[in-house]
Every structure is written in structure tokens, then in C-alpha cells.
Amino acid sequence: MRAARGSGAVSGTRGSGAVSGGVLSERPSWRRLWSDRVATGVMFATVLIALLPVLLIFYYIFREGLAVTNWEFLTQAPPFSYRREGGGYVNGLIGTLMMVGMATAVSVPLGILAAVYLVEYGGRNLLASLIRFFSDVMTGVPSVFVGLFVYTAFVVPFGFGALMGAVALSIIMLPIVVRSTEEMLKLVPQEIKNASYALGAAKWQTVLRIVLPSALPGITTGVLLAVARAAGETAPLILTAFGSITITTALIGEPISALPLAIFDGARTPFAAGQARAWAGALELLAIVLVFTLLARVAASRSSISR
Amino acid sequence: MIHGVRGDEISAGGGIGGGSVRSPADPRDERPPSLSALARRRGFGRALDRLFGWTAAVSGTLVLLILAYMVLTTTNTALPVFTSEGISFVTGTEWLPSRGVYGILPFIYGTLVTSIIAVVIAVPISLGVSLYLTELAPSWIKGPIAYAVDLLAAVPSVVYGLWGVFVLLPLFLQPAAEALSSVFGFLPIFKAPATGLSYFGAGVVLAIMIIPIISALAREVFRAVPDDDRLAAYALGATRWEMIWEAVIPRSRPGLVGATMLGLGRALGETIAVALLVGSRPTISASIVQPGYSMAAVIANQFPEADATGIRALVGVGVVLFAITIVINMAARLFVWRLVAER
Amino acid sequence: MNEPVFSVKDLNVSYGGNLALKDVSLDIQPREITAIIGPSGCGKSTFIRCLNRMNDLVPGAQVEGQVMYHGEDIYGPQVDPVTVRRRIGMVFQRPNPFPKSIYDNVAFGPRINGFKGDLGELVERSLRRAALWDEVKNKMRKSALALSGGQQQRLCIARAIAVEPDVILMDEPASALDPIATVRIEDLMQELKQEYSIVIVTHNMQQAARVSDKTAFLYTEVDEESMSRWGILVEYGPTGGIFTKPVDKRTEDYVSGRFG
């Protein structure tokens, strides 16, 4: 170590433990101090680098999107040509709401029941371990693969449609709901389950009236995040809903649009009018996704049980 | 045995029916009804209990069945192409659907290259952000920064694609690709002609998409390092960086590997942003600043125009993609699980 | 002498093959307070959890022997544990109110049991009997988690008596409470014993001496060879006798504070 003249703290990092004068005023070597400073600088720089895309994305989506967003955009279907201005993505909005709604209605109860099985019945047995592991694996399955599956299994016999898109989205949502619900159910203290059993409640009563209500805010958070994820999915819908520029509410046998599909089309068109609609659609989709994400945060902060 | 409804069973047995209110002055002299009599009346409740348990178990098993069904159906659909192409399906470099030639190596290559670029960029940034948030940041700024980075995870991939093509491409990707090739053009991987619509361009956007995933997990991992370890390093006279390097990083290594692999898994399967940015050229190019293709992107782009055999081939591409991501994901889970088990 | 509420014969309990309680036999009389005392790890809680089959919820738990409740074996093949627990209430060591309103906490038991009378009246009566009514009558819709620890424990007692059980089991009900709250719980037990049979586990000998009519002393027996340990019943009788002239040397050592 090299003796240094200065007094005070050894370095800014360790507070003010050092006393001036004597051995304690010795400083760590030049190299050690500089590596500490450089590392600190690098860490700070990475934060700036990571924040830059956040700012750029939100800035451009709002700037470009707000320029086109108006009542017509929110209530009209697009014109038949990408070249023409005006119109909107209401066909996509309807499709998204229908498909995400149906997918939620199926995957949420199934996912919650599966999580109940994992926590209250399966525990550490083989079936539960398999379900747990493969739900984790399923969250990592590429969504486009889910689309291919639904295409081969359901679209080939029944045709494109809202129902097919909903099936794909529900397969994507299911493992997310299972795993997040399971985490929340595990946090419900055994004490209050015991209290319920001690009052003569049967297991199903304990689960439905005590365990699930206690975990409800946390479960809601997971469900809302799954909804946000499903609302933004594009690839599986290409293969199942297919997309359409007209408004339809048919469940089956007729291709249907969704906001992400419309944006994808707009992003690939060389015409300014189509691109402009894509920006407004992106703003609309981002707003929907962010509302669900924010609601998820609010629900999480309402939770009465915590780690 | 099923006897009546629940209400009936209780008022007959439980002694808490509306009529049997006991006043404190009236100590219970009546003998309570026998337990087995009560139990027989609870037959309905027992059946409900069993039904509920079974419903839950079936729901859980459904996850397994869906996964198995997915693998079987898709593999079965792609089987004709697998058998007609044989091993050249994955080793062939020619993708010519109009002539019935299906070699998907360019897509496998593109998927791997774009994902590796993404991980190489995203991992250092994510680790820096996570270390800053867990070790350095004053507490008032932690929340906002973490929140802002997490927001990246909420942005749908099609929005990334749109933004990537119309904002990031002219603003950064194109100039950066050209600069890389003009400075390092002597290296094969930066060989000109350079374009932003390339492995590099797709990789950068993928990196932005997986930063929130890796950094969220890395934050958890760093937070799990006991404070005692940090204090021990400080007590030995370490600077903060030495403390991080000697105490925090080694402890976190398995978790960081898991986080990286989950990020990699996400990048491998990402479709839309890559489809818009990778340049859509079904060739293999050593230069990362030239256009290429990826497995997910070719499925999304060519599906609407594909003929029957072409669709089988695209399903085959999906099966290979699925197999690759599953291996990566299972390995990542095993890493993360081992870490949890060690705690 | 009344007919006993519980008549336990040769009770053996093991967890995952490890014996926890060996050959316990005793009778518990109605409308008395029976205290179970003993050093920690002697199986007090295990014993009381056999009386309402809460041990059924512990994976790997095995119960042998007879627990006769009004002459009927609660471990009999015809008997459903859920039915047992409807007749035998329990109050736990740590207050464990549900994260619901005060009213819903007390109403939970009657509701799941299909109660059809005046629920509000039943809730009020239960809270009055648990000496909590005056403190909570104006905030019935507030969360039970906002109550103090002592109030929460009395709420748990009110919740237990709302299903009008015959017996109340209390597993160290005051061990997590401050001295003033403890006194209130003890007073309450004296009130409740007019109507209910109470079995209380406690590690606090003064408490057992103050409140109980009968006391059972459980003790840990150690097998030197296998280093395994289990609880046995050493002595059981009127509380006065146990504390003033115990028969067994181990009881005497314990109640005089020589170990424990």
C-alpha cells in the first residue's frame, strides 16, 4: 500500500470510518481506487444505456401515435388501401378484446385450479413436480410454436377465427397463471388454514373461502400480467386469427384482426398512411397493456399477505 | 351415501341450527349426537371434497397433456417433410419452397446468431443495472429506475418491431452497422456491405427486449447474497468493487447463468421484432452486419403465402425451434432450481 | 362423577416413523379446565391435536390407540375428521384471524356449517361470550388484522365458540400475548368453563395452577441407545395435588422449577 497524504475517509465507498493521521490515513493503492471508480462509472453508464430505449420508445410512440389518434381511429376500420389516410383499428380492438377475453375466461379458472392442486393436494409428489417443471418449461415455449400447434390441431379442421386465436392465447396464459398463483397460494400461512379446519371446514371450503380470498390480490396481479402478455402477442395470432381489415365478431370460420396483427401489417407497408395507423395502433395497444400492468402493481400493493 | 343437502345435515346434527339456541344458564345436559351419525350425513360434503380435489388434479394434469399434445401434433404434421428431407432438413442451406427444397440451416444459424448478439449486449448491461440497483443506488432512486427498466418488459414485441424499423434503424442501427464495418471491416464478421436490417440490428432490438428479464432475475439473485458476506469483505479492507467482485459475484454465479439462459430462451423464440429487422434473406452470412433470417421470423413471414407442403416445412421449423428453446429453458430452470434448493 | 368428555386409551403418535407420544391414557371431565404441562418437546401440542384430529393434516403423522369422545372413538372408521372438528373447537398459540372483517371471522364457522338462524345475533352472542363485544361492536366491518394481539386471540375464541362446540382446545393460547391480555384470556376461560370443557396446553406452570381444575404432566423420555425421544404421561390429577404434593419425582422437579 502506498502512503497518501490526505486524511478523511479511505474512500467514498466506506463512509467515514478513518481517522486523520496515523496508519488509518493510508489509502488503498492507486490501482484499487481507480478500479473501484471505473467500475462505479461503468455501472452508472449501464443504467443510462438501459434507460435510453425506454425514453426513446415512449417518446416516439406518443409523438407518432398521438398525431393520428382521434375518434375516427378508435371507432373505424382501416380503408381498403394502405395508401389511404383515415380509418382506424377498431376491427383489431374488437378482435383483441374478444380473443383475450375468451382466453382469460378459460385459462384463469384452469390455472388457479391447477395451482390449488400444486399447493394444497400435490405438494412434493411426482405429478405435482412434473406439472411444476413443465409449466415452467411452457412459459418458455416460443409463442409462434403455440400458433403452429393451434393451426395444425384446430385451424386445419375448423378454419381461422377468433376462437382459434383465443385457444392459442389461453395456452400462452395458462402456465403464467399457474406459476404466479402457486407462488401466491404458498404465501397463505398454514395457521389460518388450520384455523379453518379447526372450525370444521372441509378442504374445498377452506380453499374456496379462506385460501383463495387471502391470496386474491396476488393472484389478480399474476392474472393481469398474463392478460397484458396475451394482449401484446402477435405471432400466434398470425397462424390462428390470421387478420382481417373488416370488422367481424364471428367466433369461428372467419379470419379476425387483432391490434398487434394490424400493427404488424402497418409496420411492413411502405406507405406512410399505413405506417401512421400502425403508430396510433401501437399507442392504443401500449395503453391497454400498461393499464393492465399498472392495475397489476396496484393489486400487488393491496396484498395483505406478504413474504 | 348422500343424504339431503348440507343445511339439513347441520341443523339436524351441529346443534347450531336456529332453533337450538342455548342460553348461558342452561348448561348442556343433552348428549350430542353421535359422530358416526353426523359423518354419514356428511357423505355429500365428502363427495364434494373428492370432486374438488379431482377437478384440481385434472386441471393440473391438463398442463402436461397440452404440452404433450403440442409436441405430438406438430411433429406428426411435419413428419412428411422430415422423412422426405431427412437430415438435410437441418443441415441444408437452401430454402426454396417453390422447388420443394427445404434446408433450414440458415434459419437455425440466424436464430442462434441474433440471440447470441442479444445476450452479449444484454448481459453486461443487465448486470450493471442490477448491481447499481442492489449495491450502489440511493434508495430514493431505486424504485423509479427499477420501474422504468421493468416497463421495457411490458412493451409488446410488435411495438418493438415498429419502433425498431422506423426509429432505431435510421437513428442508430444503420449508422452503427456502417461504422462497425468501416472500422472493423477486415474482420469477416463485420464485412461490408453493411445494413441495419441484419443479424446485428435484430440482435440489438432483442437485447433491449431481454434486458428487463435478465436484470429482474439478476436483481433477485444479488439480493439473495447475505449481507454478512458483504460485511466480511468490507471488514477485510475491500473497496466496494472488490467486495462486489469477491463476495457478490461468486455467490451469484449459478443464478446469473440461469438468468442469462432464460433471456437467451426468450430471444430464441422472439418472432415479430426479428421478422421486421433481420433483413429476411435465407442465406448464411459470416458478417453480422448483413441480412439473414431466423426460424421464428420465417414462420411468421412466409406462413400466409405457403402452400400445403410449405406449411408442413414451417411446422418442422417450429418443431426444431421448440426443441432448441426447450433444452435451453430446461437447463436454465435446473440452474435456478439448484440455486433455490441450495438456499 | 360425570361421564368423561374424552377417554384416551393407549395413545401413541408418531411422525414419519418417529415416536412422539407413547402410551398416554387419561380421562377428561366435562366443564372443567384440564391443563397439559411439561417441558418443551414433550408432546403437549401433539396430544391436544389428537383430540380434534388436527394431526391428520400433518403428512406422515400416525395415531394409534383410542380417543373416545362421549363414548365414541373419533378415530373410528365411520368418523370423518371434519365432523369431529365441528364439535371440538380449537384456539392456537399465535392468534390466527382470517384476513377478513371481524364479523366475517366469527361468521365463518356458522356459514360453512350451513347455519340458518340469525347470524348477526349469533356473532354478537359469541363476541359477548369472548368478552370482546364492547371493544369491537362499532367496527365489525373492519379487518380483524387491525386488532391487538390480545383482541385477536379473543376473536379466535369467539370464532371457535360461534359453531357452538362442546369442547374448546387451547394450544398455549396466551404465550404470544402480553401479561394484561393473558389475564383477560384466563378470566375468560373461567367464564367459558361454565358451558364448555376446556383443554389447555401451557408451558407456564403458574398459568396452569391458576386456571385449571386438573393437570396432566407430560415428560420427555429419552432412549440412550437410539437417541430418540418421545413424550409420556407421568402424572395426572387435580391441579392442587400436582402442584403441592406430586407423587412422581419428575413432576416434583418440574413444578418446583428444577428443570424445564
Side-chain angles (χ1 to χ4, degrees):
Chain A
M1 273 202 201
R2 194 181 71 127
R5 279 181 296 146
S7 61
V10 179
S11 77
T13 60
R14 263 179 296 169
S16 54
V19 183
S20 76
V23 287
L24 290 179
S25 68
E26 254 179 42
R27 299 182 119 204
S29 71
W30 183 87
R31 248 193 71 199
R32 294 179 61 209
L33 279 182
W34 272 98
S35 67
D36 189 54
R37 273 178 209 164
V38 168
T40 306
V42 168
M43 280 185 252
F44 196 73
T46 59
V47 174
L48 296 182
I49 295 174
L51 291 181
L52 200 60
V54 186
L55 293 176
L56 283 175
I57 288 174
F58 282 86
Y59 171 71
Y60 277 97
I61 300 275
F62 274 89
R63 198 186 75 174
E64 303 288 318
L66 283 176
V68 188
T69 302
N70 53 27
W71 185 247
E72 183 188 358
F73 183 85
L74 295 173
T75 54
Q76 301 284 311
F80 284 100
S81 164
Y82 289 121
R83 290 168 200 264
R84 288 195 14 218
E85 289 182 6
Y89 281 173
V90 75
N91 56 334
L93 182 64
I94 291 169
T96 289
L97 294 179
M98 278 174 70
M99 289 188 278
V100 173
M102 285 190 282
T104 306
V106 173
S107 63
V108 168
L110 272 180
I112 290 176
L113 273 171
V116 164
Y117 174 76
L118 291 181
V119 177
E120 300 294 332
Y121 291 88
R124 298 217 148 265
N125 75 17
L126 181 67
L127 179 63
S129 304
L130 280 176
I131 294 169
R132 211 169 273 131
F133 184 78
F134 283 103
S135 332
D136 270 359
V137 168
M138 241 169 108
T139 55
V141 170
S143 58
V144 70
F145 179 76
V146 175
L148 284 171
F149 158 69
V150 175
Y151 175 81
T152 53
F154 301 110
V155 175
V156 171
F158 302 114
F160 294 106
L163 201 58
M164 308 307 151
V167 170
L169 294 184
S170 66
I171 292 175
I172 290 164
M173 290 175 73
L174 184 62
I176 306 177
V177 175
V178 173
R179 295 297 272 144
S180 62
T181 304
E182 189 201 354
E183 290 304 316
M184 289 305 134
L185 294 184
K186 279 201 294 205
L187 293 178
V188 176
Q190 184 63 41
E191 283 95 350
I192 69 169
K193 294 184 212 169
N194 281 348
S196 171
Y197 290 127
L199 290 168
K203 191 156 193 166
W204 66 275
Q205 290 171 318
T206 303
V207 168
L208 289 183
R209 291 183 173 235
I210 297 297
V211 177
L212 288 177
S214 305
L216 191 63
I219 295 173
T220 310
T221 302
V223 167
L224 290 170
L225 289 178
V227 169
R229 165 90 192 269
E233 280 293 349
T234 316
L237 297 184
I238 295 174
L239 297 104
T240 52
F242 199 75
S244 158
I245 57 166
T246 54
I247 297 172
T248 174
T249 52
L251 286 184
I252 198 163
E254 200 179 325
I256 186 169
S257 186
L259 277 180
L261 288 178
I263 299 166
F264 185 49
D265 272 347
R268 287 193 296 182
T269 174
F271 304 109
Q275 293 170 4
R277 275 193 295 274
W279 281 108
L283 179 62
E284 194 178 355
L285 179 63
L286 197 62
I288 292 173
V289 169
L290 285 183
V291 163
F292 279 104
T293 313
L294 285 174
L295 285 177
R297 293 238 166 192
V298 172
S301 66
R302 287 274 171 85
S303 182
S304 61
I305 49 165
S306 56
R307 280 160 225 259
Chain B
M1 258 187 286
I2 297 173
H3 277 284
V5 292
R6 265 191 317 132
D8 162 84
E9 136 207 354
I10 296 310
S11 53
I16 59 168
S20 69
V21 175
R22 239 178 264 118
S23 72
D26 166 32
R28 62 179 62 194
D29 292 321
E30 84 276 24
R31 205 190 132 113
S34 90
L35 288 170
S36 48
L38 287 179
R40 275 192 294 277
R41 289 176 180 278
R42 222 187 76 79
F44 179 67
R46 262 189 181 180
L48 249 173
D49 227 10
R50 212 165 297 145
L51 182 73
F52 187 73
W54 273 103
T55 315
V58 167
S59 309
T61 313
L62 204 63
V63 174
L64 299 181
L65 293 179
I66 291 172
L67 195 64
Y69 189 44
M70 285 206 295
V71 175
L72 286 178
T73 322
T74 49
T75 311
N76 192 40
T77 305
L79 212 54
V81 176
F82 286 161
T83 47
S84 72
E85 297 288 318
I87 190 71
S88 71
F89 185 69
V90 289
T91 58
T93 56
E94 302 252 281
W95 174 267
L96 301 163
S98 53
R99 286 200 275 136
V101 179
Y102 302 103
I104 69 166
L105 195 61
F107 310 137
I108 300 178
Y109 175 81
T111 294
L112 295 179
V113 169
T114 50
S115 303
I116 289 168
I117 293 170
V119 166
V120 166
I121 297 171
V123 166
I125 294 176
S126 307
L127 295 193
V129 172
S130 317
L131 284 174
Y132 179 78
L133 288 176
T134 53
E135 311 292 336
L136 265 79
S139 56
W140 61 270
I141 205 173
K142 275 183 193 174
I145 291 184
Y147 189 76
V149 175
D150 286 348
L151 267 185
L152 283 176
V155 177
S157 66
V158 69
V159 175
Y160 275 109
L162 180 76
W163 172 80
V165 169
F166 294 114
V167 176
L168 200 62
L169 181 65
L171 197 69
F172 171 74
L173 296 178
Q174 186 67 31
E178 282 165 8
L180 280 173
S181 95
S182 68
V183 178
F184 300 106
F186 57 92
L187 293 171
I189 63 163
F190 294 121
K191 192 165 162 283
T195 166
L197 290 173
S198 57
Y199 300 114
F200 167 75
V204 169
V205 175
L206 282 179
I208 298 171
M209 297 176 74
I210 64 176
I211 282 173
I213 297 172
I214 301 180
S215 72
L217 284 164
R219 237 148 60 206
E220 291 290 313
V221 171
F222 291 143
R223 224 178 270 149
V225 174
D227 272 345
D228 286 354
D229 288 23
R230 294 191 175 89
L231 294 177
Y234 278 144
L236 292 171
T239 62
R240 180 161 48 197
W241 172 244
E242 287 164 344
M243 179 281 290
I244 290 172
W245 190 250
E246 303 292 337
V248 176
I249 301 277
R251 267 272 194 169
S252 315
R253 199 160 290 145
L256 295 181
V257 173
T260 304
M261 289 167 97
L262 285 182
L264 180 62
R266 173 75 200 274
L268 290 170
E270 178 44 48
T271 309
I272 297 301
V274 179
L276 288 169
L277 282 154
V278 77
S280 301
R281 192 172 77 184
T283 55
I284 293 178
S285 163
S287 172
I288 63 166
V289 291
Q290 289 185 14
Y293 228 142
S294 85
M295 289 191 274
V298 77
I299 297 169
N301 277 344
Q302 299 200 350
F303 171 82
E305 286 99 46
D307 60 17
T309 320
I311 282 177
R312 285 185 192 278
L314 290 177
V315 174
V317 174
V319 172
V320 175
L321 173 64
F322 173 79
I324 294 173
T325 48
I326 285 299
V327 170
I328 297 284
N329 270 298
M330 294 219 292
R333 297 292 171 192
L334 290 176
F335 261 104
V336 175
W337 281 27
R338 208 184 65 186
L339 186 79
V340 172
E342 272 172 12
R343 269 187 216 149
Chain C
M1 205 63 167
N2 283 315
E3 185 201 355
V5 180
F6 284 109
S7 179
V8 179
K9 283 196 194 70
D10 302 324
L11 184 70
N12 284 276
V13 185
S14 55
Y15 294 113
N18 298 317
L19 197 60
L21 202 59
K22 187 181 172 188
D23 292 337
V24 173
S25 301
L26 55 77
D27 284 359
I28 288 167
Q29 299 301 327
R31 288 187 289 282
E32 281 188 354
I33 299 179
T34 306
I36 316 285
I37 62 168
S40 35
C42 69
K44 303 185 294 272
S45 290
T46 298
F47 174 75
I48 200 172
R49 278 157 185 267
C50 288
L51 300 182
N52 66 341
R53 293 192 63 170
M54 284 301 278
N55 276 330
D56 289 26
L57 302 170
V58 182
Q62 217 182 348
V63 179
E64 282 164 33
Q66 266 189 339
V67 180
M68 305 300 273
Y69 168 73
H70 294 294
E72 197 174 2
D73 189 354
I74 65 168
Y75 285 93
Q78 279 293 314
V79 175
D80 186 328
V82 170
T83 323
V84 172
R85 295 183 202 125
R86 284 182 186 172
R87 311 280 318 138
I88 302 165
M90 188 164 196
V91 176
F92 295 82
Q93 185 168 356
R94 285 222 318 250
N96 54 357
F98 302 127
K100 295 170 181 278
S101 72
I102 294 167
Y103 182 91
D104 286 339
N105 260 275
V106 182
F108 177 79
R111 276 184 182 144
I112 57 160
N113 288 323
F115 177 76
K116 285 208 205 88
D118 182 348
L119 196 55
E121 191 268 339
L122 176 66
V123 168
E124 177 180 339
R125 185 152 41 94
S126 305
L127 283 167
R128 280 188 193 282
R129 280 198 235 172
L132 190 61
W133 173 251
D134 291 334
E135 291 157 64
V136 302
K137 62 185 172 195
N138 294 323
K139 47 180 179 180
M140 297 293 280
R141 297 289 163 190
K142 293 266 168 61
S143 168
L145 300 176
L147 296 174
S148 73
Q151 289 174 322
Q152 286 188 357
Q153 195 62 302
R154 277 179 282 143
L155 178 67
C156 292
I157 293 172
R159 184 175 66 185
I161 55 190
V163 295
E164 306 214 343
D166 177 44
V167 184
I168 302 175
L169 308 176
M170 298 186 170
D171 189 355
E172 306 203 22
S175 68
L177 304 182
D178 61 70
I180 294 168
T182 302
V183 170
R184 298 206 63 165
I185 300 278
E186 289 177 6
D187 289 348
L188 176 58
M189 288 168 65
Q190 296 303 329
E191 294 283 318
L192 292 174
K193 101 179 195 189
Q194 311 301 321
E195 277 189 84
Y196 303 97
S197 317
I198 297 177
V199 184
I200 173 174
V201 162
T202 178
H203 63 269
N204 179 336
M205 281 178 289
Q206 287 77 22
Q207 185 173 55
R210 276 195 303 267
V211 302
S212 70
D213 302 296
K214 298 247 172 55
T215 296
F217 173 59
L218 267 55
Y219 179 66
T220 316
E221 206 171 53
V222 181
D223 179 32
E224 297 292 345
E225 276 171 38
S226 61
M227 284 310 287
S228 50
R229 46 179 61 216
W230 53 77
I232 53 166
L233 176 65
V234 173
E235 195 166 344
Y236 176 49
T239 299
I242 295 281
F243 280 93
T244 53
K245 36 185 190 303
V247 180
D248 194 286
K249 177 80 170 58
R250 291 167 293 186
T251 317
E252 190 185 342
D253 285 350
Y254 184 73
V255 299
S256 60
R258 242 163 268 166
F259 63 82

